């Protein structure tokens, strides 16, 4: 016979409150006597265990447990009765339940002990943990998956806590830097920094704490053996559950191969530019000889005059002799300037940028580019920016661009009735400069207009067709642009821009 459940009453002696509670509690509620016989089995339990109350009430509660607990449960009760030693009562534990269809599932079981009508009873409240467990399992799986990705990544991935010490270090980091995780975890991250880059980490941290991500930042780090390594770094914050930043993780890519290729390409480019400069000047060698001959002849003439005047006893003649010598000196300076410009221009050199005044570059370029143009009867108009804007450039390379444009303009006007060359430098509202070279030649031939800046495009018998291609690559490497437009009155205008030098603080 199924025993009737113990009756509980509220302050007004109302039993139905207990029944309502049993019926509506989502968790399962079970009451057993001291032998483990089920006296109360709530609707919540029906949903959890799939048994109806008629199948459970009056039976041993162990039927709701999987083995080995099922077999051992009577022993637990007896042990408690004999010793009073509680293993679960009053504590609550995560254990397993077993459904009617045999499915074992995780539950949180909380047991209380009491007396009803003088009889000892145990009250069990059961929460189903299936959803929680599967969520936990999902999270674990996700974590395992993530750590697999991190470990198999070709990029070094490591992280540090806010005290600057490294806390994780993947396989690629070991290969890239030469430290094992055991050697580097717990060490300050600055161990990877070259001495001249120690300040970088503060900048990165400031950005991260300002909510800014640091992406593909190119820099240098040190391997364990002390050799430098070119890297690109992305850094992001690590946050705890409340969103507080507790560390920084970094993804680091070895870019040394790319850097070596870039350096190689830069060397090739500067070789090519050098060849182009030599070729450009070799075409005007006669003009250069003439250009040098003029001041040297003048030096000779002035010194001859001075010699003669000094032979005279007349004091006035001596004053004139001094004048002649100083004029000879001026001419010698002119000649040496021409030689300096040529030597600078033709020197084989590595690329390097300095802050320069565009007008000074233009002046040097004009001196070289217009060699021989006087003989060609070319009228030159110069309109230089009064503010003398500063740019951060490789001086000789920018000179080379201008010399090329000037030489092309001079050559283009060789057969023109009107020969006017206009060179303008202008400041672009502080953002950079624009340089314009305009001629009154025949304009760009249609045949090559679309390919003007491609290498080996030339309409000249002895032309190499690399001047404009090199000019474009120089201007673009400096962050500027170059283009050509027709000159309204006939001829061509070449314009190029260069960004302003960064303002140093
Ligand atoms: P190259 O001078 O050796 O031919 P460039 O690359 O400097 O090589 O010039 C390519 C071609 O562009 C020239 O052959 C010429 O046809 C054309 N070009 C360049 N500048 C001018 C100009 N100012 N007027 C007309 N055509 C020009």
């Amino acid at each position: 016979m199924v025993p009737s459940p113990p009756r509980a009453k509220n302050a007004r002696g109302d039993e139905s409150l207990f029944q309502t509670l049993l019926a509506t509690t989502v968790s399962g509620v079970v009451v057993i006597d001291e032998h483990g016989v089920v006296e109360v089995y709530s609707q919540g339990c029906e949903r959890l265990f799939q048994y109806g109350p008629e199948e459970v009430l009056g039976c041993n509660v162990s039927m709701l447990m999987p083995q080995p607990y099922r077999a051992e449960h009577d022993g637990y009760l007896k042990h408690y009765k004999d010793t009073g030693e509680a293993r679960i009562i009053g504590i609550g534990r995560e254990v397993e339940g077993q459904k009617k269809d045999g499915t074992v599932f995780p539950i949180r079981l909380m047991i209380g002990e009491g007396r009803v009508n003088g009889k000892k009873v145990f009250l069990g409240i059961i929460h189903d943990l299936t959803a929680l467990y599967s969520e936990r399992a999902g999270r674990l799986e996700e974590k395992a998956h993530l750590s697999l990705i991190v470990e198999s990544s070709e990029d070094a991935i490591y992280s540090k806590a806010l005290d600057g010490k490294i806390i994780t270090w993947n396989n690629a980091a070991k290969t890239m830097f030469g430290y094992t995780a055991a050697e580097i975890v717990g060490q300050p991250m600055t161990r990877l920094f070259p001495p001249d880059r120690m300040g970088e980490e503060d900048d990165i941290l400031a950005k991260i704490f300002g909510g800014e991500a640091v992406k593909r930042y190119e820099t240098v780090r040190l391997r364990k053996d002390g050799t430098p390594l070119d890297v690109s770094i992305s850094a992001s914050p690590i946050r705890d559950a409340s969103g507080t930043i507790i560390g920084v993780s970094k993804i680091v890519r070895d870019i040394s191969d790319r850097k070596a290729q870039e350096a190689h390409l830069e060397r090739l480019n500067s070789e090519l530019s050098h060849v182009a400069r030599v070729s450009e000047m070799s075409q005007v060698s006669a003009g250069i000889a003439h250009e040098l001959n003029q001041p040297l002849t003048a030096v000779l003439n002035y010194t001859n005059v001075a010699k003669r005047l000094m032979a005279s006893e007349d004091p006035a003649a001596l004053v004139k002799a001094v004048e002649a010598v100083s004029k000879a000196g001026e001419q010698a300076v002119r000649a040496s300037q021409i030689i300096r410009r040529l030597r600078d221009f033709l020197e084989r050199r590595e690329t390097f940028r300095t802050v320069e005044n565009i007008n000074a570059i233009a002046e040097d370029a004009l001196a070289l580019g217009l060699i021989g143009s006087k003989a060609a009867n070319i009228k030159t108009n110069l309109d230089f920016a009064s503010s003398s804007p500063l740019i951060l450039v490789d001086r000789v390379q920018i000179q080379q661009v201008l010399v090329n444009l000037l030489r092309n303009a001079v050559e283009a006007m060789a057969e023109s009735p009107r020969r006017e060359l206009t060179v303008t430098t202008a400041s672009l509202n502080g953002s950079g400069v624009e340089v314009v070279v305009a001629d009154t030649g025949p304009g760009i031939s249609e045949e090559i207009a679309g390919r003007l800046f491609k290498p080996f495009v030339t309409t000249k018998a002895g032309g190499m067709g690399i001047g404009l291609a090199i000019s474009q690559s120089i201007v673009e490497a400096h962050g500027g642009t170059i283009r050509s437009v027709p000159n309204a009155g006939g001829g061509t205008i070449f314009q190029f821009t260069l960004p302003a030098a960064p303002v140093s603080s």
Side-chain angles (χ1 to χ4, degrees), residues 404-405 408-409 411-412 439 442-445 448 452 454 457-460 462-469 492 494:
N404 180 245
L405 298 182
N408 279 345
E411 282 171 21
D439 67 56
I444 304 289
S445 114
I448 60 155
L452 198 57
K454 298 258 180 301
V457 171
T458 181
T459 54
K460 298 173 193 168
M464 291 217 291
I466 56 167
L468 287 178
T492 310
F494 277 91

Side-chain angles (χ1 to χ4, degrees), residues 471-489:
S471 296
Q472 186 182 46
S473 76
I474 291 175
V475 170
E476 289 181 352
H478 281 82
T481 55
I482 183 167
R483 63 183 191 134
S484 93
V485 289
N487 198 351

Side-chain angles (χ1 to χ4, degrees), residues 375-387:
N377 252 334
I378 289 175
K379 184 176 172 235
T380 308
N381 310 312
L382 303 181
D383 183 6
F384 283 3
S386 54
S387 57

Side-chain angles (χ1 to χ4, degrees), residues 2-10 14-22 29-34 37-42 57-58 112-124:
V2 173
S4 56
R7 301 281 161 204
K9 294 180 184 175
N10 67 0
D14 186 353
E15 274 183 21
S16 67
L17 175 67
F18 179 67
Q19 300 305 332
T20 312
L21 277 177
L22 275 189
V29 179
V30 172
V31 177
I32 59 170
D33 68 11
E34 59 183 335
V37 175
V38 179
E39 294 190 349
V40 172
Y41 181 78
S42 75
L57 289 171
E113 185 185 354
R115 277 186 178 277
V116 176
N117 302 333
K119 241 178 61 181
K120 182 177 275 191
V121 290
F122 297 103
L123 171 83

